[in-house]
Every structure is written in C-alpha cells, then in structure tokens.
C-alpha cells in the first residue's frame, strides 16, 4: 500500500493547537481598541470653538457659474483685463456647522486661522436661519450702497426718497419725528439725496439746533431738532433712514453664496471699472475688502488677516485695506502681497488706476 503524499502545509497535531493569549496581551489589545475608538470619536466630536480661516475670493469683473457678477444696463460698458477680487472668511462653529477637535488643532497650528470661543461670534440664542437671513440682508444693502456710491463717483445724480425708519432712543428726534416721515429739507435747503443730507450735517456742530422739514401725510412740517454727536464725531439728527433710490442706471450683482457687507468696496470698484473706457486694473490682480456707504466712505471689516492670506493664495499681488483695519494688518502681510490703505471709494479708485499704470510706489500703506 502506497503512502499518501504529505501536504506541504500539513502540521503535526501538537502544532495545530492555537497559542493561548496571555492576560497582558489581551489587556494591551483591548486598550488599543478603546484608544482607537476614542480617537475616532474625538475626530467628529463637536467642540465649543469657532474657527475662522481664509475663504474663497471672487473676481467681480468676471463670472461665477457662467453668470457675470456685475451686469449693467442703461449705460455703455467696457472690457477689463485685470481682476478685482472680493475676499471672504470661511468659518465653522456656528449653528449646524460645529467645529471638530481636529479642526481646532489645525486652526491653532495655522498662522492664518483664528480659534476663539464660539459665543464670541455666534450668540447662543440665534439660529442658522437667522444668521443667514442677516448676512443676506447685509449683502443686499452692501450691493445697493456700492451701486449708489459708484454712480455718484462717476458723476451721476442718484435721487432718493429719505424715509424715516425709526428714531434713536434718547435723541431729540424721539417723539418729534415719526416713522414714515419723508425728509425733504434741512434748514431750508432741499435734500434730494442722502449725500446732500450728510453734506449739510457735516457743517453742523453737535448740539446745534436744526430745522428738519418732513413730508407727513401729504403735509410739509418743520420740526426743530437738537443734534447730538456721532460716535466718530460730527452731528447727527437721531433718525434711522431707509432711503429708496431712483437709480439712473440698472446695476445687477449676482452672487448667492456669500453674505455680509464687506464686499461693498470691491463691488463699487467693479462697477466703475466696467463703466469707464479706462482699463483701471490693466491686467493686475487686485484684491480688497471694506464696507461702503452711499457717500463712498470705506468702513472696517472682520477677518482681514484671513482675507490677506486668501488673496495671495488665489494669485493677487495687491490688496486694498480699510484704514480702520490697519492695526490688524501691520506685521501680518503674506509674502508677495502689497497693501494699500484706503478710506474712501475715490481713494480706492485712484489706487487701482495707479496700480494698473505701474505707478503705485507712493500709494499709502498700513504702518505701525
């Protein structure tokens, strides 16, 4: 009888018995599994911190998803070769978008991110819908202000109906001016637009009494008002105005995924560039930020360091910064980016023209 061939994988019976696991090995294995599980939980576990990091930029002279960001009808427009980039900040930590442990660690390690307690940015009693609604309203207002400021800078008259939306508590206007009143004159001088009202108030000292003429229920009413001092100096009459502008040119800005007021200055510059035969940016990639009011004043914004980083990441070599943000800019400018300090739309327009012409060496910057 022939022997059966032996399998090369055959083992003796004694060797087939499984090796017993020692208590020490079992403890180590369980410990490693628990540690891995805890680490996995920590990766997704929400933490009470908000993280602000560089967000996307958009060229206001270009298109997004096939649609021009700025469209103008009722006036001639011109081609542009440069880029004017609005800048944004990306954030986590708000309602519905919690920060994770990993995100917080990455934020702490990044020179361009900011990590702070979530309650400093997002009040606990506000929902995400409320935040989105507020950001959208600010963006719409910013676009309207940008259009009015840009058209005014270009020499257009932009009439406005100055409707009173409310009064400042404790001011002389409280109890004297009614919601719905339409302001038509100040000390006998007609105010056909918001800019004229602001210009007249610039000549008034805080504490002076002015005569405000309003249209109320179809009647003209003269009301003496004692002015008070604005936080930044100058006189104010103590009313909130919701102006209804009669735009001489139709300006449409199409951008749905960005909220807040900080793109106003770049929108205004984009409108100016499109409506003038001069190619102001002239091939240069210029980023910037800043709120804007209808008088063309550029205001401060949040997250400027993140916006500086996002600009140079996306190829910008110049950045327009509100003068009120300069203390946050000094010593935090990324390599390859030059910052120009601006306070008004007119200064911003002159800056991009100088940059496009290669004559920007003497433009003001942020200094300590």
């Amino acid at each position: 009888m022939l022997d059966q061939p032996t399998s090369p994988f055959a083992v003796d019976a004694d060797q087939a018995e499984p090796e017993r696991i020692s208590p020490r090995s079992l403890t180590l294995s369980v410990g490693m599994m628990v540690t891995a599980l805890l680490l996995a939980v920590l990766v997704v576990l929400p933490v009470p911190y908000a993280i602000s990091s560089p967000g996307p930029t958009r060229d206001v002279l270009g298109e997004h998803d096939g649609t021009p960001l700025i469209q103008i009808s009722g006036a001639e427009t011109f081609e542009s070769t440069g880029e004017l980039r609005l800048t944004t900040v990306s954030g986590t930590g708000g309602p519905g978008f919690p920060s994770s442990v990993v995100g917080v660690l990455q934020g702490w390690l990044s020179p361009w991110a900011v990590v702070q307690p979530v309650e400093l940015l997002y009040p606990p009693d506000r929902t995400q819908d409320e935040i989105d609604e507020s950001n959208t309203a600010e963006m719409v207002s910013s676009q309207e202000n940008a259009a009015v400021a840009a058209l005014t800078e270009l020499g257009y008259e932009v009439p406005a109906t100055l409707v009173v939306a409310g009064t400042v508590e404790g001011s002389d206007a409280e109890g004297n001016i009614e919601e719905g009143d339409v302001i038509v004159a100040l000390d006998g001088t007609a105010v056909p637009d918001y800019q004229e009202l602001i210009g007249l108030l610039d000549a008034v000292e805080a504490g002076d009494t002015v005569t405000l003429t309003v249209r109320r229920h179809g009647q003209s009413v003269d009301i003496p008002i004692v002015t008070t001092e604005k936080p930044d100096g100058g006189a104010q009459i103590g009313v909130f105005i919701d102006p209804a502008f009669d735009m001489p040119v139709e300006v449409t800005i199409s951008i749905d995924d960005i909220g807040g007021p900080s793109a106003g200055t770049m929108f205004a510059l984009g409108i100016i560039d499109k409506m003038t035969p001069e190619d102001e940016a002239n091939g240069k990639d210029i980023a910037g930020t800043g709120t804007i009011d209808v008088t063309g004043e550029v205001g401060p914004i949040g997250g400027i360091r993140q916006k500086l980083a996002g600009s140079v990441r996306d190829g910008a070599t110049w950045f327009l910064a509100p003068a009120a943000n300069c203390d946050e800019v000094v010593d935090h400018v990324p390599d390859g980016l030059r910052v120009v300090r601006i306070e008004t739309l007119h200064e911003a327009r002159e800056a991009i023209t100088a940059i496009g012409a290669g004559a920007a060496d003497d433009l003001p910057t942020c200094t300590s």
Side-chain angles (χ1 to χ4, degrees):
M1 185 173 180
L2 297 175
D3 294 334
Q4 293 293 326
T6 302
S7 167
F9 301 104
V11 294
D12 292 339
D14 292 340
Q15 294 175 329
E17 184 177 344
E19 182 179 349
R20 294 184 178 181
I21 301 176
S22 69
R24 177 181 175 84
S25 298
L26 181 60
T27 300
L28 288 173
S29 298
V30 172
M32 292 176 64
M33 291 177 62
V34 171
T35 300
L37 181 61
L38 288 174
L39 288 174
V41 171
L42 285 174
V43 167
V44 298
L45 186 69
V47 291
Y49 289 95
I51 307 167
S52 301
S53 56
T57 65
R58 296 279 189 273
D59 176 20
V60 299
L61 299 176
E63 298 181 350
H64 183 58
D65 292 336
T67 301
L69 265 69
I70 297 175
Q71 300 175 71
I72 297 168
S73 59
E76 186 177 5
T77 58
F78 305 87
E79 293 295 324
S80 304
T81 62
E83 294 186 354
L84 297 174
R85 293 185 174 273
L86 65 83
T87 54
T88 67
V89 176
S90 293
T92 62
F97 299 95
S99 301
S100 66
V101 172
V102 171
V104 169
L105 292 175
Q106 291 174 336
W108 279 334
L109 294 173
S110 169
W112 304 114
V114 174
V115 179
Q116 53 192 324
V118 68
E119 62 269 16
L120 295 181
L121 287 184
Y122 303 101
D125 58 343
R126 296 191 70 189
T127 66
Q128 187 60 46
D129 287 343
E130 290 173 334
I131 294 172
D132 290 343
E133 184 178 349
S134 175
N135 286 338
T136 299
E138 288 180 330
M139 173 58 81
V140 171
S141 177
S142 172
Q143 292 172 2
E144 183 177 56
N145 288 352
V148 173
L151 293 176
T152 302
E153 171 69 17
L154 291 173
Y156 286 87
E157 292 185 1
V158 186
T161 303
L162 305 182
V163 182
V164 174
T167 57
V168 177
E169 185 177 356
S171 69
D172 197 34
E174 186 180 21
N176 291 311
I177 305 297
E178 298 179 4
E179 183 176 345
D181 284 350
V182 176
I183 298 173
V184 296
L186 182 74
D187 285 338
T189 301
V191 285
D193 53 43
Y194 191 82
Q195 293 88 335
E196 181 69 20
L197 176 61
I198 297 301
L200 291 173
L201 283 172
D202 284 343
V204 175
E205 295 287 338
D208 289 350
T209 298
V210 298
T211 299
L212 200 62
T213 303
V214 303
R215 188 169 67 249
R216 178 182 297 170
H217 308 306
Q219 301 294 320
S220 180
V221 182
D222 291 335
I223 304 169
I225 297 291
V226 180
T227 61
T228 57
E229 187 173 2
K230 295 190 296 184
D232 58 351
Q236 62 182 357
I237 53 179
V239 299
F240 300 108
I241 298 175
D242 184 16
F245 296 103
D246 183 10
M247 303 293 286
V249 175
E250 183 178 349
V251 179
T252 303
I253 299 175
S254 303
I255 188 163
D256 298 326
D257 57 346
I258 294 174
S262 65
T265 296
M266 299 312 291
F267 283 141
L269 289 173
I271 294 167
I272 290 171
D273 195 295
K274 281 179 171 287
M275 292 184 65
T276 51
E278 299 83 9
D279 186 6
E280 282 88 351
N282 192 27
K284 302 298 192 301
D285 195 332
I286 306 168
T289 188
T291 65
I292 198 161
D293 64 19
V294 295
T295 68
E297 182 177 349
V298 176
I301 50 79
I304 194 164
R305 295 179 187 174
Q306 290 77 53
K307 293 176 179 180
L308 291 167
S311 299
V312 75
R313 176 202 62 205
D314 290 352
T317 54
W318 292 87
F319 191 96
L320 307 181
N325 285 117
C326 270
D327 59 338
E328 302 172 75
V329 171
V330 174
D331 298 329
H332 293 91
V333 180
D335 292 340
L337 193 67
R338 292 184 62 181
V339 172
V340 179
R341 184 185 75 248
I342 55 171
E343 295 187 76
T344 66
L345 177 59
H346 184 70
E347 290 179 359
R349 180 186 182 184
E350 290 185 329
I352 64 170
T353 302
I355 292 169
D361 289 343
D362 294 331
L363 291 176
T365 189
C366 292
T367 56
S368 55

